[in-house]
Amino acid sequence: MAKNFVQEGKALNYTAGADILSGDFVLIGTIGGIAKTAIANGKVGAVHVTGIFNVAKASGAITQGAKLYWDNTNKVLTTTASGNTIVGVAAAAAASGDATVAILLNVGL
């Protein structure tokens, strides 16, 4: 292993600015993540930054492979780039009425 190796990069430590539940989507600058466990306000916890997770989405159909953006105002994934942060791609298609979409985190950025 290289002497300058730090970690695999599958998760990052995150200091919560509010209480976060396990499975909540977290935006760390421009990096999308999913809280591994609950993180209390002001505490540090691990956030997945790789993998596929079901996350709440805006209305409208999403095709597999579509770029997904985090709408921080409405706290949902969307295919609308304007004013939102790209956080990955759709790992599977989602119908208009589906509440969630499977996101492959931080791919296709």
Side-chain angles (χ1 to χ4, degrees):
M1 186 168 302
K3 64 181 179 180
N4 56 346
F5 178 81
V6 176
Q7 67 180 37
E8 288 186 27
K10 294 179 181 180
L12 296 176
N13 286 333
Y14 174 74
T15 303
D19 288 343
I20 296 172
L21 300 175
S22 174
D24 279 356
F25 186 89
V26 175
L27 190 61
I28 306 170
T30 60
I31 302 169
I34 303 294
K36 283 186 163 191
T37 60
I39 309 170
N41 184 17
K43 300 296 182 183
V44 176
V47 174
H48 293 281
V49 293
T50 63
I52 298 172
F53 297 87
N54 288 322
V55 176
K57 73 171 196 62
S59 64
I62 297 176
T63 58
Q64 185 177 34
K67 290 184 178 182
L68 295 173
Y69 302 83
W70 181 246
D71 175 343
N72 206 40
T73 301
N74 296 305
K75 306 298 185 205
V76 293
L77 293 171
T78 179
T79 56
T80 302
S82 181
N84 299 312
T85 305
I86 188 166
V87 290
V89 297
S96 182
D98 290 347
T100 64
V101 62
I103 181 174
L104 179 55
L105 289 171
N106 302 304
V107 172
L109 309 183

